């Protein structure tokens, strides 16, 4: 069911957006060569406890995962793009790291993701990250009253296609509110003028994620981590936004 939020409720959601954004920035500053994915998760967990927030991931058991996720942070490295389960792996120079983080603060959820290079960066990795960020900006720009979900999807997909990339539609954006994943679905490619009409009070996560050489995924034995089927590099960017009469509000706005 698609739910619309009042202006007062959107104001209340800002606390969750601010916390998610500040946590991702703290994690970005902490990610360095030699730091393990488990250390990043533990750091995020500590920030959640100090804030009095609740993790959306810890006990999450969706149909696409294998059992409870068990951690508070998704850590995807290089060819991993989504749902990367933290592990003892220590970051190496040049690793492309994507972090996805969602928490509940005072009953409201915000969800965001960033990608970065640890240490020395390859030009093509920076370009891929920039593509997801540009697609995210395009999707947000299309999230205005009078448009439809398909207009957001088309804006994202256009950025990908102009760069010569294909787009996987197995996972994409989604409604956000009292829970992390709700209606409507926001695919990363689509036809303009199609789908649910965008109305004031709709709160959604828009999340372009691209793979350099394929649009097919494979799953790790951990039952969660999704990688590009051909081993090519990947990147992921995400913001939670609220649609209003005056334009979209990016609740996780301080993320980059």
């Amino acid at each position: 069911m698609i739910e619309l939020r009042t202006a007062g409720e959107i104001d209340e959601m800002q606390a969750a957006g601010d916390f998610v954004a500040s946590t991702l920035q703290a994690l970005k500053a902490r990610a360095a060569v030699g730091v393990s994915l488990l250390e990043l998760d533990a750091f995020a967990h500590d920030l959640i406890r100090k804030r009095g927030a609740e993790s959306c991931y810890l006990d999450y058991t969706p149909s696409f995962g294998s059992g409870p996720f068990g951690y508070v942070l998704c850590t995807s490295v290089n060819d991993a793009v989504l749902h990367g389960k933290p592990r003892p792996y220590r970051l190496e120079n040049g690793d492309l790291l994507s972090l996805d983080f969602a928490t509940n603060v005072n009953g409201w959820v915000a969800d965001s993701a960033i990608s970065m290079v640890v240490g020395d960066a390859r030009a093509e990795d920076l370009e891929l990250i920039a593509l997801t960020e540009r697609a995210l900006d395009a999707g947000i720009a299309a999230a205005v009253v009078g448009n439809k979900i398909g207009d957001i999807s088309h804006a994202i997909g256009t950025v990908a296609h102009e760069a010569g990339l294909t787009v996987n539609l197995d996972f994409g954006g989604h409604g956000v509110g009292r829970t992390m994943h709700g209606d409507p679905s926001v695919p990363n490619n689509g036809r303009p003028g199609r789908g649910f009409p965008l109305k004031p009070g709709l709160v959604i996560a828009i999340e372009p994620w691209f793979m350099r050489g394929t649009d097919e995924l494979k799953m790790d034995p951990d039952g969660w981590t999704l990688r590009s089927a051909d081993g090519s590099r990947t990147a992921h960017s995400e913001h939670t936004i609220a649609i209003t009469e005056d334009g979209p509000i990016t609740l996780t706005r301080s993320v980059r």
Side-chain angles (χ1 to χ4, degrees):
M1 181 177 68
I2 297 174
E3 298 181 87
L4 302 179
R5 305 300 175 186
T6 67
E9 288 174 328
I10 291 171
D11 286 343
E12 291 175 6
M13 295 183 77
Q14 187 63 66
D18 289 344
F19 176 64
V20 167
S22 64
T23 299
L24 282 171
Q25 286 304 301
L27 287 161
K28 184 176 182 179
R30 199 172 187 89
V33 174
V35 173
S36 81
L37 303 182
L38 290 176
E39 288 169 351
L40 292 176
D41 182 76
F43 177 67
H45 205 162
D46 188 52
L47 292 179
I48 290 172
R49 284 192 293 265
K50 289 177 178 176
R51 181 60 176 82
E54 296 179 6
S55 171
C56 293
Y57 294 162
L58 197 58
D59 298 317
Y60 192 45
T61 314
S63 59
F64 56 79
S66 178
F69 186 72
Y71 298 89
V72 302
L73 180 67
C74 290
T75 55
S76 302
V77 181
N78 295 333
D79 62 330
V81 65
L82 294 175
H83 314 153
K85 201 166 185 177
R87 54 194 173 91
Y89 177 80
R90 293 192 176 276
L91 293 167
E92 299 180 356
N93 186 46
D95 277 345
L96 200 169
L97 172 66
S98 297
L99 301 174
D100 194 349
F101 184 66
T103 56
N104 184 315
V105 176
N106 300 325
W108 295 106
V109 170
D111 188 4
S112 188
I114 59 174
S115 292
M116 71 202 77
V117 176
V118 178
D120 300 318
R122 304 179 188 178
E124 58 267 30
D125 287 346
L126 296 179
E127 178 188 21
L128 186 60
I129 293 170
L131 280 172
T132 65
E133 293 176 346
R134 191 157 74 243
L136 178 56
D137 288 341
I140 293 172
V144 296
V145 174
N147 276 356
K148 295 186 177 181
I149 291 292
D151 293 298
I152 298 174
S153 300
H154 178 71
I156 294 169
T158 296
V159 172
H161 296 319
E162 288 179 348
L165 303 180
T166 54
V167 179
N168 178 285
L169 296 179
D170 291 342
F171 298 93
H174 49 87
V176 179
R178 295 292 188 184
T179 60
M180 178 172 55
H181 289 144
D183 294 327
S185 173
V186 187
N188 286 328
N189 194 27
R191 296 171 60 185
R194 304 292 292 269
F196 184 78
L198 304 182
K199 301 176 182 180
L202 182 65
V203 180
I204 55 176
I206 300 175
E207 54 176 316
W209 57 273
F210 299 152
M211 299 181 285
R212 175 64 73 181
T214 184
D215 59 2
E216 296 184 5
L217 292 165
K218 63 180 180 181
M219 183 176 284
D220 275 6
D222 65 16
W224 281 95
T225 304
L226 290 169
R227 299 181 183 273
S228 61
D230 64 353
S232 60
R233 308 281 262 204
T234 69
H236 180 195
S237 295
E238 177 181 16
H239 272 312
T240 296
I241 71 156
I243 295 170
T244 76
E245 290 284 7
D246 298 323
I249 297 172
T250 305
L251 297 172
T252 49
R253 63 182 174 274
S254 62
V255 162
R256 294 183 198 169

